[in-house]
Amino acid sequence: MSQLNKQGLTRRALLSRAVAAGALAVAGTGFIAAPDAAWAVEVNAISEHEMATLLQMARDIYPHDRVGDRFYAVAVKGYDSEASKAMVAEGVAALDAAAQAAGFGNYLAVGWEDDRVAILRSIEDSAFFQTVRGGLVTGLYNQKEVWPIFGYEGESFSQGGYIYRGFDDIDWL
């Protein structure tokens, strides 16, 4: 019996919810893919359910509509290790338990972002949440491919500093 079935969510159910929502799909043992197959992430130490939960959690902690799921996948891929396996398993179990207490099957079954954020707030003091949140700061925002989305052009010291590079040319602030 797979890890997903033990937690009350079949691969088929996750796939149908993910495709309907335009999110993630479990495409086989140890493999999660985008519905358009533009990216995929292989999982080794943790389960597909745990990786999918980490991806959704990451998107809910730092929501950016213009940032693709593949960047969030890169940011949480580091938790797919033997060193993090127990922390992730316990943390996802606690997150799923909080979702069940709120009347949902598990965290991935929560359809509305506001409901997921409320569930995250219920565990925000946990070591698991703080570790994931802290890791996302560098895991997500240190990806050079994400910088143009936010209008960040990178370091400027080597080019004479920001004052000579249009420090006030951003239009989204």
Side-chain angles (χ1 to χ4, degrees), residues 89-147:
E90 291 171 14
V92 169
L95 193 56
D96 285 343
Q100 288 172 355
F104 301 98
N106 61 35
Y107 187 72
L108 291 175
V110 180
W112 292 100
E113 181 180 358
D114 289 343
D115 293 333
R116 289 191 308 269
V117 169
I119 292 167
L120 285 174
R121 286 192 176 149
S122 74
I123 68 154
E124 71 183 339
D125 292 330
S126 71
F128 167 69
F129 179 89
Q130 293 300 324
T131 299
V132 172
R133 184 196 57 78
L136 284 170
V137 171
T138 55
L140 182 60
Y141 299 116
N142 277 2
Q143 296 179 55
K144 289 184 179 183
E145 297 85 9
V146 174
W147 294 352

Side-chain angles (χ1 to χ4, degrees), residues 58-59 61-64 67-76 134-147 150:
R59 187 163 274 294
I61 292 173
Y62 293 111
H64 299 289
V67 175
D69 285 336
R70 68 186 177 102
F71 297 111
Y72 288 96
V74 169
V76 298
L136 284 170
V137 171
T138 55
L140 182 60
Y141 299 116
N142 277 2
Q143 296 179 55
K144 289 184 179 183
E145 297 85 9
V146 174
W147 294 352
F150 299 115

Side-chain angles (χ1 to χ4, degrees), residues 16-171:
S16 66
R17 285 189 197 125
V19 171
L24 307 171
V26 176
T29 304
F31 188 69
I32 297 176
D36 62 2
W39 64 270
V41 63
E42 181 180 8
V43 291
N44 299 308
I46 64 175
S47 72
E48 297 94 350
H49 173 76
E50 291 165 344
M51 180 57 79
T53 301
L54 284 173
L55 286 166
Q56 184 62 60
M57 182 181 173
R59 187 163 274 294
D60 290 336
I61 292 173
Y62 293 111
H64 299 289
D65 292 338
R66 294 177 17 198
V67 175
D69 285 336
R70 68 186 177 102
F71 297 111
Y72 288 96
V74 169
V76 298
K77 179 63 176 155
Y79 297 109
D80 182 26
S81 68
E82 288 298 324
S84 299
K85 184 177 181 175
M87 179 204 60
V88 170
E90 291 171 14
V92 169
L95 193 56
D96 285 343
Q100 288 172 355
F104 301 98
N106 61 35
Y107 187 72
L108 291 175
V110 180
W112 292 100
E113 181 180 358
D114 289 343
D115 293 333
R116 289 191 308 269
V117 169
I119 292 167
L120 285 174
R121 286 192 176 149
S122 74
I123 68 154
E124 71 183 339
D125 292 330
S126 71
F128 167 69
F129 179 89
Q130 293 300 324
T131 299
V132 172
R133 184 196 57 78
L136 284 170
V137 171
T138 55
L140 182 60
Y141 299 116
N142 277 2
Q143 296 179 55
K144 289 184 179 183
E145 297 85 9
V146 174
W147 294 352
I149 296 170
F150 299 115
Y152 179 62
E153 299 170 357
E155 66 84 23
S156 69
F157 177 77
S158 64
Q159 299 173 14
Y162 289 110
I163 197 158
Y164 302 113
R165 288 189 61 213
F167 71 95
D168 60 353
D169 65 353
I170 58 176
D171 59 1

